[in-house]
Amino acid sequence: MKRTTFWGRDENDERLVEQIIEGKKTATCTPKCWYDALPEEATEVGEMLEVFSKKGEYMCTIEITKKYEVPFGQIDDETVRGENCVSYEEFRKDHIFAWENDLKREGKELNDHTIIVVEHFRLIK
């Protein structure tokens, strides 16, 4: 079974995993350029992933239920809710904060046309 961790603002920020365990977060997304750069981490619908903390502690298991690509500027309400955001504006602000500087360092731009990979999931245990 594949393993994964979720982004945090620092090495102690596990709030995204906590949201998964609480049933509040049911989707994740990443710029396609980053997703494609790690083909061994790509997922398929029906695949289960063990989720670990940044310190290597097992936290839960999720199952991928839906996966698709979409431009950053065309995120739908299901993804906004799945990312535990209350609005499209909150989703954009959070993801610009998380991605923009790292993409710039790589010579890439984050804009409404940037393709992202969205993965919806359900908590297994």
Side-chain angles (χ1 to χ4, degrees), residues 31 33 72 99-115:
C33 60
F72 184 59
W99 299 339
E100 188 170 49
N101 289 335
D102 289 335
L103 285 169
K104 278 184 184 177
R105 276 193 283 282
E106 296 174 10
K108 298 173 179 129
E109 182 179 354
L110 177 60
N111 60 45
D112 284 348
H113 305 289
T114 302
I115 300 298

Side-chain angles (χ1 to χ4, degrees), residues 1-106:
M1 185 178 306
K2 290 182 183 173
R3 296 174 166 215
T4 193
T5 57
F6 281 79
W7 182 86
R9 294 179 185 214
D10 59 46
E11 68 278 357
N12 296 311
D13 182 7
E14 298 292 354
R15 108 183 86 124
L16 297 182
V17 177
E18 292 165 3
Q19 291 173 6
I20 292 168
I21 293 168
E22 294 168 358
K24 296 177 181 176
K25 180 173 176 61
T26 60
T28 191
C29 54
T30 192
K32 182 172 172 37
C33 60
W34 291 346
Y35 191 88
D36 289 349
L38 298 169
E40 67 278 0
E41 294 185 18
T43 63
E44 298 299 328
V45 172
E47 190 167 8
M48 296 205 207
L49 301 167
E50 292 179 322
V51 178
F52 283 78
S53 71
K54 287 175 216 50
K55 294 180 180 178
E57 177 184 337
Y58 170 80
M59 303 297 285
C60 63
T61 300
I62 58 174
E63 178 185 13
I64 303 300
T65 58
K66 189 189 300 187
K67 176 182 164 184
Y68 53 91
E69 297 178 7
V70 64
F72 184 59
Q74 294 179 18
I75 293 298
D76 62 10
D77 289 340
E78 180 183 18
T79 302
V80 169
R81 286 188 310 274
E83 283 275 14
N84 194 33
C85 295
V86 296
S87 67
Y88 177 73
E89 292 76 22
E90 179 186 10
F91 173 90
R92 286 183 62 85
K93 180 181 158 201
D94 286 352
H95 289 82
I96 288 169
F97 176 83
W99 299 339
E100 188 170 49
N101 289 335
D102 289 335
L103 285 169
K104 278 184 184 177
R105 276 193 283 282
E106 296 174 10

